[in-house]
Amino acid sequence: MNGRWQGVLLLLAALAPGAGRAEPVQARLDADGVQRVEVVGGNYFFRPDHIVVRVGLPVELVVRKEPGLTPHSLVIWSPRMGLDVDEMLGRREKPIRFTPTATGQTPFYCREKLAFFPSHQERGMAGILEVVE
Ligand SMILES: [Cu+2]
């Protein structure tokens, strides 16, 4: 396959529904014992959209939203993992803290929705929080 066709195929793959989920991002363990990761939300994505953290240690998601008028939020709800997050995103970075109590995967998403339009979650503003040993 020549380079031009490879480019076309890569472009098609990038445009396909559900594509673009990047490599999982492992939260860094800072000296204060907190696992931190910066998360940006925008129309209609989270970056990163697959976050890996360790169980039983505090997590701090440092969240903000991209410029623009559209409101965005971050919801993580898993009683099994001890997670109940529901926060609006602002232009300034905001820390969201929690400590996952069980391993596994749970979705995170934006709960915003305008009138009869599809929700932001339906438009792809969602990701996966993976809790590991
Ligand atoms: Cu949103």
Side-chain angles (χ1 to χ4, degrees):
M1 184 161 28
N2 69 32
R4 178 171 298 174
W5 276 107
Q6 262 173 5
V8 169
L9 287 178
L10 284 174
L11 180 64
L12 288 174
L15 294 174
R21 198 168 289 282
E23 290 290 296
V25 169
Q26 173 97 42
R28 69 176 184 277
L29 184 56
D30 283 340
D32 60 359
V34 177
Q35 312 178 78
R36 279 194 186 81
V37 60
E38 284 75 33
V39 181
V40 178
N43 300 357
Y44 295 95
F45 64 87
F46 283 108
R47 190 175 57 241
D49 64 1
H50 187 163
I51 298 168
V52 181
V53 298
R54 286 168 54 193
V55 68
L57 292 173
V59 174
E60 186 175 291
L61 304 181
V62 182
V63 300
R64 67 181 167 84
K65 81 180 190 79
E66 297 243 293
L69 296 175
T70 311
H72 294 297
S73 61
L74 177 62
V75 175
I76 313 173
W77 191 73
S78 171
R80 191 182 70 79
M81 295 169 148
L83 306 177
D84 185 4
V85 169
D86 188 341
E87 297 274 351
M88 294 304 296
L89 307 189
R91 290 285 293 123
R92 292 181 50 187
E93 290 189 330
K94 171 201 271 189
I96 296 177
R97 282 200 175 211
F98 55 84
T99 301
T101 56
T103 58
Q105 294 195 352
T106 190
F108 61 87
Y109 61 93
C110 173
R111 67 171 149 72
E112 302 310 305
K113 178 180 182 348
L114 182 61
F116 39 80
F117 291 102
S119 69
H120 293 191
Q121 181 182 16
E122 288 168 310
R123 295 186 189 198
M125 199 168 176
I128 294 167
L129 179 71
E130 183 175 354
V131 181
V132 299
E133 260 325 312

